[in-house]
Amino acid sequence: MRLCVLGAGAVGSAVVELAAEHGHVVTGFADSESAVVDADGIDADAVLSKKHADGVVGDGDPESVFDADYDVLVEATPTTLGDAEPGFSHVERALTDDRDVVLANKGPVAERYADLRALEAESEGTVRFGATVGGALPILSTIEDVGPSRVSAVYGVLNGTANFVLSRMAAEGLDYEHVLAEAQDLGVAEADPTFDVDGTDTALKGVIVANVLADGETEYTLDDAEVDGIQELSGSMLDLAAEDGQTIRLIVEVADGAVRVGPRLVPENAAVAPSGTENAVQIEADYCGRLGITGQGAGGPETASAVLTDVERLAD
């Protein structure tokens, strides 16, 4: 497949780097300020080196990537709230041109799901977005395979930064601010970690799951989610929980038409009490019972692997 990649952050860059290993060619690559287009396939090493050295991927205008000869648009620009721009317009352009789209950007799926599906219905292209929930973890593909109508609940941990903070607080008896600073030093938390620690990132993923389960009957956005973060938790709270064999995790629950995110008490050895930056999700489904999925839910190569899995599903 010929790929056009928008977004030169960790995920987009990893897609460009790994595409050839999966048998694909990247014919267009753009960041917010520049683009490079080559019908024979861009030189990934050269382009990524230029991005590192000069801060841009090429000399062209970002919009020029839409003139590339491509089969699949990979939308990996940063997630934005509300109108989900510019990601939504990128998807609209590709679908209008009857191209397939693979999203790593959560915005269009979480904030404009009905609009996204309406565009897809008018296009010969297909939209896939497995990478938007849990990175490399096959959460949405499992729901797809089981059948959304058979899934009654999805719950668990879907943010590695928040989980790192809470698991370190529990293990070391440290306070929130101390562990957050440690996470930032290690690169586990962003310089501005607000989306992670206030529950927004987790809620966006929950909203995407809710939209998939609703299958067009109801549209969910971030406004429909009940969200609490972890900023007010103290080390003493986790110590008290440990006295009863429990711990605290930032849990998302999608069930009964609702999306809820907040700190929850769970048994220390529960499947939804992973350590470090791991994610862990439980899916309740008719006939299947409880399905558990655990692993690294973020990171450039990990999320890129989910993007490329979606590309391969489109190719089948």
Side-chain angles (χ1 to χ4, degrees):
M1 301 285 272
R2 296 162 300 175
L3 310 183
C4 173
V5 181
L6 286 177
V11 176
S13 295
V15 170
V16 169
E17 186 174 15
L18 297 174
E21 292 183 21
H22 291 255
H24 307 301
V25 176
V26 178
T27 57
F29 183 35
D31 57 23
S32 60
E33 298 180 5
S34 68
V36 57
V37 175
D38 190 329
D40 296 324
I42 68 172
D43 183 330
D45 290 340
V47 169
L48 294 174
S49 293
K50 181 176 178 61
K51 177 65 176 177
H52 179 74
D54 302 335
V56 293
V57 301
D59 301 319
D61 183 273
E63 289 293 311
S64 67
V65 293
F66 290 105
D67 297 324
D69 187 12
Y70 73 96
D71 304 302
V72 182
L73 175 74
V74 174
E75 219 302 335
T77 63
T79 295
T80 54
L81 304 183
D83 62 5
E85 295 292 358
F88 186 84
S89 290
H90 296 157
V91 175
E92 182 176 27
R93 173 74 180 270
L95 289 175
T96 300
D97 292 340
D98 293 322
R99 310 296 175 86
D100 293 322
V101 175
V102 172
L103 282 154
N105 180 346
K106 293 181 284 291
V109 199
E111 295 288 73
R112 299 183 66 178
Y113 189 77
D115 292 340
L116 185 69
R117 288 307 195 192
L119 286 173
E120 184 184 37
E122 296 295 322
S123 173
E124 293 182 11
T126 298
V127 179
R128 296 196 63 85
F129 45 88
T132 62
V133 179
L137 303 188
I139 296 168
L140 295 184
S141 61
T142 299
I143 293 172
E144 179 182 9
D145 292 341
V146 169
S149 65
R150 291 171 53 190
V151 174
S152 57
V154 178
Y155 60 94
V157 171
L158 276 174
N159 185 275
T161 298
N163 201 67
F164 176 90
V165 170
L166 292 175
S167 59
R168 284 286 292 157
M169 287 174 68
E172 303 296 334
L174 300 171
D175 281 329
Y176 169 80
E177 295 292 346
H178 181 100
V179 177
L180 180 60
E182 178 187 29
Q184 289 171 317
D185 288 342
L186 293 171
V188 172
E190 300 285 348
D192 181 0
T194 305
F195 267 26
D196 295 314
V197 298
D198 73 357
T200 300
D201 176 73
T202 300
L204 287 169
K205 296 167 184 174
V207 165
I208 292 170
V209 170
N211 278 321
V212 171
L213 296 185
D215 199 23
E217 294 183 7
T218 304
E219 182 182 16
Y220 295 85
T221 70
L222 188 60
D223 290 339
D224 299 306
E226 299 175 19
V227 188
D228 290 308
I230 65 171
Q231 304 98 312
E232 302 303 319
L233 295 178
S234 65
S236 61
M237 293 178 183
L238 283 111
D239 290 341
L240 286 171
E243 291 178 6
D244 292 327
Q246 295 186 305
T247 190
I248 300 174
R249 290 291 185 267
L250 183 65
I251 299 291
V252 58
E253 180 183 14
V254 183
D256 301 322
V259 180
R260 304 179 185 89
V261 175
R264 304 285 187 265
L265 283 169
V266 297
E268 285 182 324
N269 60 352
V272 291
S275 61
T277 59
E278 283 199 335
N279 287 191
V281 169
Q282 301 280 303
I283 298 172
E284 300 277 359
D286 296 341
Y287 313 116
C288 303
R290 182 178 297 167
L291 305 175
I293 305 171
T294 303
Q296 292 296 326
E302 293 84 356
T303 306
S305 73
V307 167
L308 291 166
T309 295
D310 271 347
V311 171
E312 284 152 18
R313 284 181 176 244
L314 288 169
D316 290 340

